[in-house]
Amino acid sequence: MTDAGEEMYALVERLYPLCRSITGDGVRATLEIVGEYVPLQVHEVPTGTQVLDWTVPQEWNIRDAYIADTAGHRVVDFTASSLHVLGYSVPVSATMPLAELREHLHTLPDHPSWVPYRTSYYKPEWGFCLAQETLDALPDGEYEVRIDSTLADGHLTYAEHVVPGQVPDEVIVSCHVCHPSLANDNLAGIAVATFLARALAEQTPYYTYRFIYAPGTIGAITWLARNAERVDRVKHGLVLACAGDPGRLTYKQSRRGDAEIDRVMRHVLAASERPHHVTEFTPYGYDERQFCSPGFDLGVGSLTRTPYAGYPEYHTSADNLDFVSPQAMADTLAVCREAFAVLDRNRRYLNLSPYGEPQLGRRGLYDSLGGRSDAKQAQMAMLWVLNLSDGEHSLLDVAERSGLPFDTVAAAAGALRGAGLIKA
């Protein structure tokens, strides 16, 4: 897992310099790099397309931007950081006094050395983001202001990667690809999703796993609009974000609160004894709020480390490569793999010999436990599975009621099924 952490960090490093937004070539370049790790089906949705209550906006691209003093020195330079430009800024080429320019400048006075991340997606505007200490050092005078950008009809771009399962029922894993140079939010989420997809592809999962790489809000809405007729295949889902910071893991439950993914995540986090926090659903945050909107009400939760806006570095230049670590991303990946291993094996069984306790010894089931250090626990798991295999209780129900590890319960179910005592 350490190697996976280092590889994920290397992917974050590659993606970090790119200027992403909700549309444009930065998204395409990001998906092209991710496509080197897992094959992607890329979708282009034209500007003006109606998607639920929204419309796909014009595409934004940017080549250069700066504020220069009278000597031609760039005091704010987009090429140094993509955060320096207000996202979706319309083009501008002008000379103006500092007093007028200030109306278009964004800073963080409480963190004077940090650059904020700001956008203006749906209102034509232009601006720059800079450190407060940089602004404080600017003398009065004239400044050249240039934003070499285009806002024109084009496309919204998103991508999917599908890991085929034994059944067509789907688990969706979603991450947003619209943020520029922010390592935790959400490059770490992209990296964990990508390596989770690679790990699942090495198995033969029960469910079909669909990974969605889309810009936040408008991307998820577009995906839902284009998949409304088949969304009933989605049985479970997870939104990944803020996956690489040093904080404890946080799971935000689905709107339902008792969806199977909610129960699985609660169980896995508790059983792992990792520091963690489980929160109730709120209609604010990442794209779980789109998947959990009342018309769809999908069983989709959200996994982060420190949640959005829960750390000072959120949406600032301090959310950089030093803020995330291979170890944190590896831990987030491990929890996802553990959760999906439970989800994939969580079945309801029917006891085929429900009248009295079947004789396990003559079927060799007791003998199979002879050399095991956890023989007593495995025996109890068999008895619990037999007793609760009434077609109503799942293996997760068995694990929770018995207090036994899910892996032990699932192994017992496999042995009993092999002996013809239960069926799915």
Side-chain angles (χ1 to χ4, degrees), residues 29-85:
T30 298
L31 296 177
E32 184 176 349
I33 291 173
V34 172
E36 297 175 18
Y37 293 78
V38 293
L40 295 178
Q41 181 180 9
V42 178
H43 304 271
E44 298 277 5
V45 185
T47 295
T49 302
Q50 188 72 27
V51 286
L52 305 182
D53 193 48
W54 295 58
T55 303
V56 172
Q58 289 188 309
E59 182 176 325
W60 182 69
N61 286 293
I62 184 167
R63 286 162 292 278
D64 193 14
Y66 59 86
I67 301 172
D69 60 21
T70 53
H73 172 66
R74 293 190 177 196
V75 295
V76 178
D77 189 355
F78 167 76
T79 62
S81 171
S82 59
L83 296 179
H84 276 310
V85 173

Short mmCIF file of all heavy atoms in Angstrom, two decimals, residues 29-85:
data_model
loop_
_atom_site.label_atom_id
_atom_site.label_comp_id
_atom_site.label_asym_id
_atom_site.label_seq_id
_atom_site.Cartn_x
_atom_site.Cartn_y
_atom_site.Cartn_z
N ALA A 29 -6.95 17.91 -20.43
CA ALA A 29 -5.56 17.52 -20.14
C ALA A 29 -5.50 16.63 -18.90
O ALA A 29 -4.72 15.67 -18.84
CB ALA A 29 -4.70 18.76 -19.96
N THR A 30 -6.33 16.96 -17.90
CA THR A 30 -6.39 16.14 -16.68
C THR A 30 -6.86 14.74 -17.01
O THR A 30 -6.27 13.74 -16.56
CB THR A 30 -7.34 16.80 -15.67
OG1 THR A 30 -6.82 18.09 -15.31
CG2 THR A 30 -7.50 15.95 -14.42
N LEU A 31 -7.93 14.63 -17.78
CA LEU A 31 -8.47 13.31 -18.12
C LEU A 31 -7.51 12.53 -19.01
O LEU A 31 -7.46 11.30 -18.93
CB LEU A 31 -9.83 13.48 -18.81
CG LEU A 31 -10.93 14.10 -17.93
CD1 LEU A 31 -12.21 14.29 -18.74
CD2 LEU A 31 -11.20 13.25 -16.69
N GLU A 32 -6.76 13.22 -19.83
CA GLU A 32 -5.77 12.54 -20.67
C GLU A 32 -4.71 11.87 -19.80
O GLU A 32 -4.29 10.73 -20.07
CB GLU A 32 -5.12 13.54 -21.62
CG GLU A 32 -4.15 12.89 -22.61
CD GLU A 32 -3.59 13.88 -23.62
OE1 GLU A 32 -4.10 15.02 -23.69
OE2 GLU A 32 -2.63 13.52 -24.34
N ILE A 33 -4.28 12.55 -18.74
CA ILE A 33 -3.30 11.96 -17.84
C ILE A 33 -3.91 10.81 -17.06
O ILE A 33 -3.31 9.73 -16.94
CB ILE A 33 -2.73 13.04 -16.89
CG1 ILE A 33 -1.87 14.04 -17.68
CG2 ILE A 33 -1.92 12.40 -15.76
CD1 ILE A 33 -1.41 15.23 -16.87
N VAL A 34 -5.11 10.99 -16.52
CA VAL A 34 -5.78 9.90 -15.80
C VAL A 34 -5.96 8.70 -16.71
O VAL A 34 -5.84 7.54 -16.29
CB VAL A 34 -7.13 10.38 -15.23
CG1 VAL A 34 -7.92 9.21 -14.65
CG2 VAL A 34 -6.93 11.45 -14.17
N GLY A 35 -6.20 8.97 -18.00
CA GLY A 35 -6.39 7.90 -18.96
C GLY A 35 -5.15 7.04 -19.18
O GLY A 35 -5.25 5.95 -19.74
N GLU A 36 -4.00 7.51 -18.74
CA GLU A 36 -2.79 6.69 -18.79
C GLU A 36 -2.81 5.60 -17.72
O GLU A 36 -2.10 4.60 -17.82
CB GLU A 36 -1.55 7.56 -18.60
CG GLU A 36 -1.33 8.60 -19.69
CD GLU A 36 -0.16 9.51 -19.35
OE1 GLU A 36 0.67 9.13 -18.49
OE2 GLU A 36 -0.06 10.61 -19.95
N TYR A 37 -3.64 5.81 -16.70
CA TYR A 37 -3.72 4.87 -15.58
C TYR A 37 -4.90 3.91 -15.72
O TYR A 37 -4.77 2.73 -15.39
CB TYR A 37 -3.85 5.64 -14.25
CG TYR A 37 -2.63 6.44 -13.89
CD1 TYR A 37 -2.36 7.66 -14.49
CD2 TYR A 37 -1.75 5.98 -12.92
CE1 TYR A 37 -1.23 8.40 -14.16
CE2 TYR A 37 -0.62 6.72 -12.57
CZ TYR A 37 -0.37 7.93 -13.20
OH TYR A 37 0.75 8.65 -12.86
N VAL A 38 -6.03 4.42 -16.18
CA VAL A 38 -7.21 3.59 -16.43
C VAL A 38 -7.86 4.08 -17.72
O VAL A 38 -7.90 5.28 -17.98
CB VAL A 38 -8.23 3.65 -15.27
CG1 VAL A 38 -7.68 3.00 -14.01
CG2 VAL A 38 -8.67 5.08 -14.99
N PRO A 39 -8.36 3.18 -18.55
CA PRO A 39 -9.01 3.63 -19.79
C PRO A 39 -10.28 4.42 -19.48
O PRO A 39 -11.07 4.01 -18.62
CB PRO A 39 -9.32 2.32 -20.53
CG PRO A 39 -9.30 1.26 -19.48
CD PRO A 39 -8.33 1.70 -18.43
N LEU A 40 -10.46 5.52 -20.18
CA LEU A 40 -11.61 6.39 -19.94
C LEU A 40 -12.46 6.53 -21.19
O LEU A 40 -11.94 6.59 -22.31
CB LEU A 40 -11.15 7.79 -19.51
CG LEU A 40 -10.41 7.92 -18.18
CD1 LEU A 40 -10.00 9.38 -17.97
CD2 LEU A 40 -11.27 7.44 -17.01
N GLN A 41 -13.77 6.61 -20.98
CA GLN A 41 -14.68 7.02 -22.05
C GLN A 41 -14.99 8.49 -21.79
O GLN A 41 -15.62 8.83 -20.79
CB GLN A 41 -15.96 6.19 -22.04
CG GLN A 41 -16.92 6.58 -23.17
CD GLN A 41 -18.19 5.75 -23.16
OE1 GLN A 41 -18.44 4.98 -22.24
NE2 GLN A 41 -18.99 5.90 -24.21
N VAL A 42 -14.53 9.35 -22.69
CA VAL A 42 -14.68 10.79 -22.51
C VAL A 42 -15.94 11.26 -23.24
O VAL A 42 -16.18 10.90 -24.40
CB VAL A 42 -13.44 11.54 -23.02
CG1 VAL A 42 -13.63 13.04 -22.89
CG2 VAL A 42 -12.20 11.09 -22.24
N HIS A 43 -16.73 12.08 -22.57
CA HIS A 43 -17.97 12.61 -23.13
C HIS A 43 -17.86 14.13 -23.27
O HIS A 43 -17.37 14.80 -22.36
CB HIS A 43 -19.16 12.28 -22.22
CG HIS A 43 -19.32 10.83 -21.91
ND1 HIS A 43 -20.07 9.98 -22.69
CD2 HIS A 43 -18.81 10.07 -20.91
CE1 HIS A 43 -20.03 8.75 -22.18
NE2 HIS A 43 -19.26 8.79 -21.10
N GLU A 44 -18.31 14.65 -24.40
CA GLU A 44 -18.33 16.09 -24.66
C GLU A 44 -19.79 16.52 -24.85
O GLU A 44 -20.47 16.05 -25.77
CB GLU A 44 -17.52 16.42 -25.90
CG GLU A 44 -16.03 16.07 -25.81
CD GLU A 44 -15.22 17.16 -25.11
OE1 GLU A 44 -15.83 18.13 -24.62
OE2 GLU A 44 -13.99 17.04 -25.07
N VAL A 45 -20.26 17.40 -24.00
CA VAL A 45 -21.66 17.83 -24.04
C VAL A 45 -21.70 19.30 -24.46
O VAL A 45 -21.12 20.17 -23.79
CB VAL A 45 -22.33 17.66 -22.66
CG1 VAL A 45 -23.81 18.01 -22.73
CG2 VAL A 45 -22.14 16.23 -22.14
N PRO A 46 -22.37 19.61 -25.58
CA PRO A 46 -22.29 20.97 -26.14
C PRO A 46 -22.88 22.05 -25.24
O PRO A 46 -23.83 21.81 -24.48
CB PRO A 46 -23.09 20.86 -27.45
CG PRO A 46 -23.13 19.39 -27.76
CD PRO A 46 -23.13 18.69 -26.44
N THR A 47 -22.30 23.24 -25.34
CA THR A 47 -22.85 24.43 -24.70
C THR A 47 -24.32 24.58 -25.09
O THR A 47 -24.69 24.37 -26.25
CB THR A 47 -22.08 25.68 -25.15
OG1 THR A 47 -20.73 25.58 -24.68
CG2 THR A 47 -22.71 26.94 -24.60
N GLY A 48 -25.15 24.95 -24.13
CA GLY A 48 -26.57 25.16 -24.40
C GLY A 48 -27.43 23.95 -24.18
O GLY A 48 -28.66 24.06 -24.19
N THR A 49 -26.82 22.78 -23.95
CA THR A 49 -27.60 21.58 -23.69
C THR A 49 -28.34 21.71 -22.37
O THR A 49 -27.75 22.07 -21.35
CB THR A 49 -26.68 20.33 -23.64
OG1 THR A 49 -25.98 20.23 -24.88
CG2 THR A 49 -27.48 19.07 -23.39
N GLN A 50 -29.63 21.42 -22.39
CA GLN A 50 -30.42 21.46 -21.17
C GLN A 50 -30.14 20.20 -20.36
O GLN A 50 -30.26 19.08 -20.85
CB GLN A 50 -31.92 21.54 -21.48
CG GLN A 50 -32.81 21.76 -20.28
CD GLN A 50 -32.70 23.17 -19.71
OE1 GLN A 50 -32.39 24.10 -20.45
NE2 GLN A 50 -32.95 23.32 -18.42
N VAL A 51 -29.73 20.38 -19.11
CA VAL A 51 -29.46 19.25 -18.22
C VAL A 51 -30.20 19.50 -16.91
O VAL A 51 -29.82 20.34 -16.10
CB VAL A 51 -27.94 19.07 -17.98
CG1 VAL A 51 -27.28 18.48 -19.22
CG2 VAL A 51 -27.25 20.37 -17.61
N LEU A 52 -31.32 18.76 -16.76
CA LEU A 52 -32.23 18.99 -15.65
C LEU A 52 -32.61 20.48 -15.62
O LEU A 52 -33.03 21.00 -16.64
CB LEU A 52 -31.60 18.52 -14.34
CG LEU A 52 -31.12 17.04 -14.33
CD1 LEU A 52 -30.55 16.66 -12.97
CD2 LEU A 52 -32.24 16.09 -14.74
N ASP A 53 -32.42 21.17 -14.51
CA ASP A 53 -32.82 22.58 -14.45
C ASP A 53 -31.71 23.52 -14.88
O ASP A 53 -31.85 24.74 -14.79
CB ASP A 53 -33.26 22.92 -13.01
CG ASP A 53 -33.99 24.25 -12.93
OD1 ASP A 53 -34.90 24.47 -13.75
OD2 ASP A 53 -33.65 25.07 -12.06
N TRP A 54 -30.59 22.97 -15.36
CA TRP A 54 -29.42 23.76 -15.71
C TRP A 54 -29.19 23.72 -17.22
O TRP A 54 -29.79 22.92 -17.94
CB TRP A 54 -28.18 23.23 -14.98
CG TRP A 54 -28.23 23.36 -13.49
CD1 TRP A 54 -29.17 22.84 -12.65
CD2 TRP A 54 -27.29 24.05 -12.67
NE1 TRP A 54 -28.88 23.16 -11.35
CE2 TRP A 54 -27.73 23.90 -11.32
CE3 TRP A 54 -26.13 24.77 -12.92
CZ2 TRP A 54 -27.04 24.46 -10.25
CZ3 TRP A 54 -25.44 25.32 -11.85
CH2 TRP A 54 -25.89 25.17 -10.53
N THR A 55 -28.28 24.58 -17.66
CA THR A 55 -27.85 24.60 -19.06
C THR A 55 -26.33 24.53 -19.08
O THR A 55 -25.66 25.25 -18.31
CB THR A 55 -28.32 25.89 -19.76
OG1 THR A 55 -29.74 25.99 -19.65
CG2 THR A 55 -27.93 25.87 -21.22
N VAL A 56 -25.79 23.69 -19.94
CA VAL A 56 -24.33 23.60 -20.06
C VAL A 56 -23.79 24.96 -20.48
O VAL A 56 -24.23 25.53 -21.48
CB VAL A 56 -23.93 22.51 -21.07
CG1 VAL A 56 -22.42 22.54 -21.34
CG2 VAL A 56 -24.35 21.13 -20.57
N PRO A 57 -22.86 25.52 -19.71
CA PRO A 57 -22.38 26.88 -19.99
C PRO A 57 -21.39 26.94 -21.14
O PRO A 57 -21.00 25.91 -21.70
CB PRO A 57 -21.70 27.27 -18.68
CG PRO A 57 -21.17 25.97 -18.15
CD PRO A 57 -22.20 24.93 -18.54
N GLN A 58 -20.97 28.13 -21.45
CA GLN A 58 -19.91 28.30 -22.44
C GLN A 58 -18.60 27.73 -21.88
O GLN A 58 -18.40 27.62 -20.67
CB GLN A 58 -19.74 29.78 -22.79
CG GLN A 58 -20.88 30.35 -23.62
CD GLN A 58 -20.58 31.75 -24.11
OE1 GLN A 58 -20.19 32.62 -23.33
NE2 GLN A 58 -20.74 31.98 -25.41
N GLU A 59 -17.73 27.38 -22.80
CA GLU A 59 -16.44 26.81 -22.41
C GLU A 59 -15.43 27.94 -22.17
O GLU A 59 -15.35 28.90 -22.95
CB GLU A 59 -15.94 25.88 -23.52
CG GLU A 59 -14.62 25.20 -23.20
CD GLU A 59 -14.20 24.21 -24.27
OE1 GLU A 59 -15.09 23.55 -24.87
OE2 GLU A 59 -12.98 24.12 -24.53
N TRP A 60 -14.65 27.76 -21.10
CA TRP A 60 -13.66 28.77 -20.74
C TRP A 60 -12.26 28.20 -20.90
O TRP A 60 -11.97 27.09 -20.45
CB TRP A 60 -13.86 29.20 -19.29
CG TRP A 60 -12.92 30.27 -18.80
CD1 TRP A 60 -12.90 31.57 -19.18
CD2 TRP A 60 -11.89 30.13 -17.81
NE1 TRP A 60 -11.92 32.27 -18.50
CE2 TRP A 60 -11.28 31.41 -17.64
CE3 TRP A 60 -11.41 29.07 -17.04
CZ2 TRP A 60 -10.24 31.64 -16.74
CZ3 TRP A 60 -10.38 29.29 -16.15
CH2 TRP A 60 -9.80 30.56 -16.01
N ASN A 61 -11.41 28.96 -21.55
CA ASN A 61 -10.00 28.61 -21.67
C ASN A 61 -9.15 29.85 -21.43
O ASN A 61 -9.59 30.98 -21.70
CB ASN A 61 -9.68 28.03 -23.05
CG ASN A 61 -10.22 26.61 -23.20
OD1 ASN A 61 -9.75 25.69 -22.53
ND2 ASN A 61 -11.22 26.43 -24.06
N ILE A 62 -7.95 29.65 -20.93
CA ILE A 62 -7.07 30.75 -20.62
C ILE A 62 -5.64 30.40 -21.03
O ILE A 62 -5.19 29.27 -20.86
CB ILE A 62 -7.13 31.12 -19.13
CG1 ILE A 62 -6.27 32.35 -18.83
CG2 ILE A 62 -6.77 29.95 -18.24
CD1 ILE A 62 -6.53 32.96 -17.45
N ARG A 63 -4.96 31.38 -21.62
CA ARG A 63 -3.58 31.19 -22.07
C ARG A 63 -2.58 31.92 -21.18
O ARG A 63 -1.51 31.41 -20.86
CB ARG A 63 -3.44 31.67 -23.52
CG ARG A 63 -4.08 30.71 -24.53
CD ARG A 63 -4.31 31.38 -25.88
NE ARG A 63 -5.34 32.40 -25.78
CZ ARG A 63 -6.66 32.13 -25.82
NH1 ARG A 63 -7.07 30.87 -25.95
NH2 ARG A 63 -7.55 33.10 -25.74
N ASP A 64 -2.96 33.11 -20.73
CA ASP A 64 -2.03 33.90 -19.92
C ASP A 64 -2.82 34.97 -19.18
O ASP A 64 -3.94 35.33 -19.57
CB ASP A 64 -0.96 34.55 -20.80
CG ASP A 64 0.22 35.11 -20.02
OD1 ASP A 64 0.35 34.76 -18.83
OD2 ASP A 64 1.00 35.89 -20.61
N ALA A 65 -2.24 35.46 -18.10
CA ALA A 65 -2.84 36.56 -17.35
C ALA A 65 -1.79 37.15 -16.43
O ALA A 65 -0.94 36.43 -15.90
CB ALA A 65 -4.05 36.08 -16.55
N TYR A 66 -1.85 38.46 -16.24
CA TYR A 66 -0.88 39.08 -15.34
C TYR A 66 -1.32 40.50 -14.99
O TYR A 66 -2.15 41.12 -15.67
CB TYR A 66 0.52 39.13 -15.98
CG TYR A 66 0.61 39.89 -17.27
CD1 TYR A 66 0.82 41.26 -17.29
CD2 TYR A 66 0.50 39.22 -18.50
CE1 TYR A 66 0.91 41.97 -18.49
CE2 TYR A 66 0.59 39.91 -19.70
CZ TYR A 66 0.79 41.28 -19.68
OH TYR A 66 0.87 41.98 -20.87
N ILE A 67 -0.73 40.99 -13.90
CA ILE A 67 -0.75 42.41 -13.55
C ILE A 67 0.70 42.86 -13.57
O ILE A 67 1.55 42.24 -12.91
CB ILE A 67 -1.36 42.65 -12.15
CG1 ILE A 67 -2.79 42.12 -12.08
CG2 ILE A 67 -1.31 44.13 -11.80
CD1 ILE A 67 -3.39 42.14 -10.67
N ALA A 68 1.00 43.89 -14.31
CA ALA A 68 2.39 44.36 -14.44
C ALA A 68 2.48 45.83 -14.03
O ALA A 68 1.57 46.62 -14.30
CB ALA A 68 2.89 44.17 -15.87
N ASP A 69 3.61 46.17 -13.39
CA ASP A 69 3.84 47.57 -13.02
C ASP A 69 4.38 48.36 -14.21
O ASP A 69 4.53 47.81 -15.32
CB ASP A 69 4.76 47.66 -11.80
CG ASP A 69 6.14 47.03 -12.04
OD1 ASP A 69 6.53 46.89 -13.21
OD2 ASP A 69 6.81 46.69 -11.05
N THR A 70 4.68 49.61 -13.99
CA THR A 70 5.11 50.46 -15.10
C THR A 70 6.44 50.04 -15.69
O THR A 70 6.76 50.38 -16.84
CB THR A 70 5.21 51.93 -14.64
OG1 THR A 70 6.05 51.99 -13.47
CG2 THR A 70 3.84 52.49 -14.30
N ALA A 71 7.22 49.27 -14.93
CA ALA A 71 8.50 48.76 -15.45
C ALA A 71 8.32 47.46 -16.21
O ALA A 71 9.29 46.89 -16.71
CB ALA A 71 9.48 48.57 -14.29
N GLY A 72 7.08 46.95 -16.29
CA GLY A 72 6.82 45.71 -17.01
C GLY A 72 6.99 44.47 -16.16
O GLY A 72 6.84 43.35 -16.65
N HIS A 73 7.28 44.65 -14.86
CA HIS A 73 7.45 43.50 -13.97
C HIS A 73 6.08 42.94 -13.58
O HIS A 73 5.19 43.69 -13.14
CB HIS A 73 8.22 43.92 -12.72
CG HIS A 73 8.28 42.85 -11.67
ND1 HIS A 73 8.96 41.67 -11.84
CD2 HIS A 73 7.73 42.81 -10.42
CE1 HIS A 73 8.82 40.93 -10.75
NE2 HIS A 73 8.07 41.60 -9.87
N ARG A 74 5.92 41.63 -13.75
CA ARG A 74 4.65 41.00 -13.40
C ARG A 74 4.56 40.84 -11.88
O ARG A 74 5.23 39.99 -11.29
CB ARG A 74 4.52 39.64 -14.07
CG ARG A 74 4.39 39.71 -15.59
CD ARG A 74 4.03 38.35 -16.18
NE ARG A 74 3.84 38.42 -17.62
CZ ARG A 74 3.22 37.47 -18.34
NH1 ARG A 74 2.77 36.37 -17.74
NH2 ARG A 74 3.09 37.60 -19.64
N VAL A 75 3.70 41.61 -11.27
CA VAL A 75 3.54 41.52 -9.82
C VAL A 75 2.56 40.41 -9.44
O VAL A 75 2.58 39.91 -8.32
CB VAL A 75 3.09 42.87 -9.23
CG1 VAL A 75 4.17 43.92 -9.44
CG2 VAL A 75 1.77 43.33 -9.84
N VAL A 76 1.69 40.03 -10.37
CA VAL A 76 0.82 38.86 -10.25
C VAL A 76 0.89 38.14 -11.58
O VAL A 76 0.69 38.76 -12.63
CB VAL A 76 -0.64 39.25 -9.92
CG1 VAL A 76 -1.51 38.00 -9.85
CG2 VAL A 76 -0.72 40.04 -8.61
N ASP A 77 1.18 36.85 -11.52
CA ASP A 77 1.48 36.12 -12.77
C ASP A 77 0.77 34.77 -12.78
O ASP A 77 1.04 33.90 -11.96
CB ASP A 77 3.00 35.92 -12.88
CG ASP A 77 3.42 35.37 -14.24
OD1 ASP A 77 2.54 35.04 -15.06
OD2 ASP A 77 4.64 35.25 -14.46
N PHE A 78 -0.16 34.60 -13.71
CA PHE A 78 -0.90 33.34 -13.86
C PHE A 78 0.03 32.16 -14.12
O PHE A 78 -0.25 31.04 -13.67
CB PHE A 78 -1.90 33.49 -15.02
CG PHE A 78 -2.51 32.21 -15.49
CD1 PHE A 78 -3.51 31.58 -14.77
CD2 PHE A 78 -2.08 31.61 -16.68
CE1 PHE A 78 -4.08 30.38 -15.20
CE2 PHE A 78 -2.64 30.43 -17.13
CZ PHE A 78 -3.65 29.81 -16.39
N THR A 79 1.15 32.39 -14.81
CA THR A 79 2.05 31.28 -15.11
C THR A 79 2.74 30.75 -13.85
O THR A 79 3.24 29.62 -13.86
CB THR A 79 3.12 31.70 -16.14
OG1 THR A 79 3.91 32.75 -15.59
CG2 THR A 79 2.46 32.16 -17.43
N ALA A 80 2.74 31.53 -12.78
CA ALA A 80 3.31 31.06 -11.52
C ALA A 80 2.33 30.19 -10.75
O ALA A 80 2.74 29.27 -10.03
CB ALA A 80 3.74 32.24 -10.66
N SER A 81 1.04 30.46 -10.90
CA SER A 81 -0.01 29.66 -10.24
C SER A 81 -1.34 29.93 -10.91
O SER A 81 -1.72 31.09 -11.10
CB SER A 81 -0.12 29.98 -8.75
OG SER A 81 -1.26 29.35 -8.18
N SER A 82 -2.06 28.87 -11.22
CA SER A 82 -3.37 29.04 -11.85
C SER A 82 -4.39 29.66 -10.90
O SER A 82 -5.45 30.12 -11.33
CB SER A 82 -3.88 27.69 -12.36
OG SER A 82 -3.99 26.76 -11.30
N LEU A 83 -4.09 29.68 -9.60
CA LEU A 83 -5.00 30.29 -8.64
C LEU A 83 -5.05 31.81 -8.77
O LEU A 83 -5.97 32.45 -8.24
CB LEU A 83 -4.60 29.92 -7.21
CG LEU A 83 -4.68 28.45 -6.82
CD1 LEU A 83 -4.22 28.26 -5.38
CD2 LEU A 83 -6.09 27.91 -6.99
N HIS A 84 -4.07 32.40 -9.44
CA HIS A 84 -3.97 33.86 -9.48
C HIS A 84 -5.09 34.53 -10.27
O HIS A 84 -5.28 35.74 -10.15
CB HIS A 84 -2.61 34.29 -10.05
CG HIS A 84 -1.51 34.31 -9.04
ND1 HIS A 84 -1.63 34.96 -7.83
CD2 HIS A 84 -0.27 33.78 -9.06
CE1 HIS A 84 -0.52 34.82 -7.14
NE2 HIS A 84 0.34 34.11 -7.86
N VAL A 85 -5.84 33.74 -11.06
CA VAL A 85 -6.91 34.33 -11.86
C VAL A 85 -8.26 33.86 -11.34
O VAL A 85 -8.45 32.67 -11.04
CB VAL A 85 -6.76 33.96 -13.35
CG1 VAL A 85 -7.97 34.42 -14.15
CG2 VAL A 85 -5.50 34.60 -13.91
#
